Amino acid sequence: MAIMITDECINCGACEPECPNTAIYEGGMEWTWGGGTDLEEVEMEDGTVVGPDEEQEPVSDEFYYIVSTKCTECIGFHEEPQCAAVCPVDCCVPDPDNEETEEELTAKKEWMHAE
């Protein structure tokens, strides 16, 4: 499953530079598919094609947040999710609304990072 940041976040920012997928953003900041990936475009569920630099709505306006569709729990990069490893208040936790198998996370990593 993807990782999420709870509302206990103190907005220290320790997690953001640790993410190999650039899936972590400061509250209120727009995000992009291209940041931290090799994606050139993404086809959304409704068939809309989104460019890599097209800004997306923030997931949270108050706290750092993780874009679950970009989170791979650091599979293929590290032994454990680095955001959780560096968080001083343990607010980077598994997201029960976004459960994924290791195989799904690996496939997502391979989709985002051309090898």
Side-chain angles (χ1 to χ4, degrees):
M1 67 179 59
I3 304 297
M4 62 181 264
I5 298 175
T6 67
D7 60 5
E8 284 86 31
C9 177
I10 59 172
N11 287 316
C12 71
C15 56
E16 185 180 19
E18 300 302 319
C19 182
N21 301 312
T22 314
I24 302 174
Y25 296 84
E26 185 175 352
M29 299 295 293
E30 295 179 330
W31 63 276
T32 65
W33 283 100
T37 74
D38 295 326
L39 295 172
E40 295 182 12
E41 64 181 22
V42 175
E43 184 173 344
M44 308 305 287
E45 289 181 9
D46 66 2
T48 305
V49 175
V50 177
D53 298 323
E54 190 171 325
E55 293 184 335
Q56 306 296 309
E57 291 294 318
V59 174
S60 171
D61 288 328
E62 297 179 48
F63 306 102
Y64 275 82
Y65 64 88
I66 298 174
V67 176
S68 60
T69 49
K70 288 180 72 175
C71 178
T72 61
E73 293 184 38
C74 294
I75 295 237
F77 296 101
H78 304 285
E79 293 294 316
E80 63 181 342
Q82 295 302 287
C83 57
V86 301
C87 181
V89 292
D90 297 325
C91 66
C92 296
V93 299
D95 182 352
D97 293 333
N98 290 295
E99 294 186 17
E100 296 172 290
T101 65
E102 186 171 338
E103 291 78 24
E104 290 170 320
L105 293 168
T106 299
K108 188 191 312 185
K109 185 259 184 196
E110 291 171 0
W111 171 66
M112 289 191 300
H113 301 278
E115 294 184 18

